[in-house]
């Protein structure tokens, strides 16, 4: 089943500003979140969850058909 991923405007800006290595790590973390539905908060957008990678993080809200990325970061 395909899922949608919506990006908040600050997420779009952050991804553009990240170096390729950071952007790649964040995108891998987004892919991980999509396949690990057990990590999703309750659908509806009222709750959020944060997943951490080796040097990155994403914060997202969940809906029945996908996730909305609220914040991303990379510490590299």
């Amino acid at each position: 089943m395909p899922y949608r991923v919506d990006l908040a405007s600050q997420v779009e800006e952050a991804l553009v500003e990240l170096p390729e290595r950071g952007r790649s790590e964040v995108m891998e973390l987004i892919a991980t979140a999509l396949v690990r539905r057990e990590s999703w908060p309750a659908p509806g957008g009222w709750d959020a969850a944060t997943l951490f990678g080796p040097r990155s993080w994403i914060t997202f809200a969940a809906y029945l058909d996908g996730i909305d990325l609220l914040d991303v970061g990379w510490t590299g």
Side-chain angles (χ1 to χ4, degrees):
M1 174 179 187
Y3 296 111
R4 70 174 175 81
V5 176
D6 287 334
L7 306 176
S9 60
Q10 67 267 21
V11 170
E12 290 179 19
E13 293 169 10
L15 286 173
V16 168
E17 294 174 6
L18 286 175
E20 183 60 35
R21 186 173 176 184
R23 188 169 33 259
S24 176
E25 190 173 315
V26 168
M27 296 303 285
E28 287 178 23
L29 197 53
I30 293 168
T32 299
L34 285 173
V35 298
R36 290 181 47 208
R37 283 201 59 150
E38 70 276 3
S39 70
W40 291 17
W46 290 102
D47 296 315
T50 301
L51 287 182
F52 295 93
R55 291 181 295 181
S56 60
W57 71 90
I58 62 170
T59 301
F60 62 97
Y63 295 90
L64 294 177
D65 62 345
I67 61 175
D68 285 348
L69 285 170
L70 306 172
D71 191 26
V72 300
W74 185 66
T75 62

